[in-house]
Amino acid sequence: MERNLDKHLDDTFRVPGVAGVICTDEHGLCLGAKGIATRESAGHIANIAESAARLNPNMPNPVISIEGEGGSILIKKEDNITMGIYKSPN
């Protein structure tokens, strides 16, 4: 599984405009990080996804976008895995 996860992280990181990528488990444990994504942010990423899902528990897990002058972060939880994609500003 680890090799498969690394391949997915590498493939995502190679997409133009992606500055970093992180993957966490349901407890916020960092499973992998590339680029500007730091392992220390794993718990925050997982918590944001979990909190957003609680806003409307009858809907599928949302995609969260956090935007700022330095770029944006897209966060999505699927099953027990949460992924964050850091994008460079356009």
Side-chain angles (χ1 to χ4, degrees):
M1 179 181 135
E2 186 174 322
R3 185 172 289 176
N4 196 20
L5 176 63
D6 282 340
K7 181 181 179 343
H8 285 294
L9 291 174
D10 285 338
D11 290 347
T12 303
F13 186 59
R14 287 190 191 112
V15 173
V18 173
V21 61
I22 189 166
C23 191
T24 76
D25 71 2
E26 70 270 20
H27 304 291
L29 176 69
C30 183
L31 302 175
K34 303 269 183 198
I36 66 169
T38 63
R39 298 181 74 78
E40 294 78 22
S41 67
H44 299 294
I45 297 289
N47 187 274
I48 289 168
E50 187 67 33
S51 295
R54 283 191 209 122
L55 292 174
N56 192 345
N58 298 322
M59 304 250 327
N61 289 327
V63 174
I64 301 103
S65 177
I66 301 172
E67 299 180 15
E69 290 180 18
S72 63
I73 305 170
L74 298 173
I75 302 169
K76 172 83 166 133
K77 180 178 181 179
E78 227 17 85
D79 297 323
N80 294 327
I81 303 293
T82 302
M83 187 163 202
I85 299 174
Y86 292 68
K87 299 200 69 178
S88 302
N90 293 336

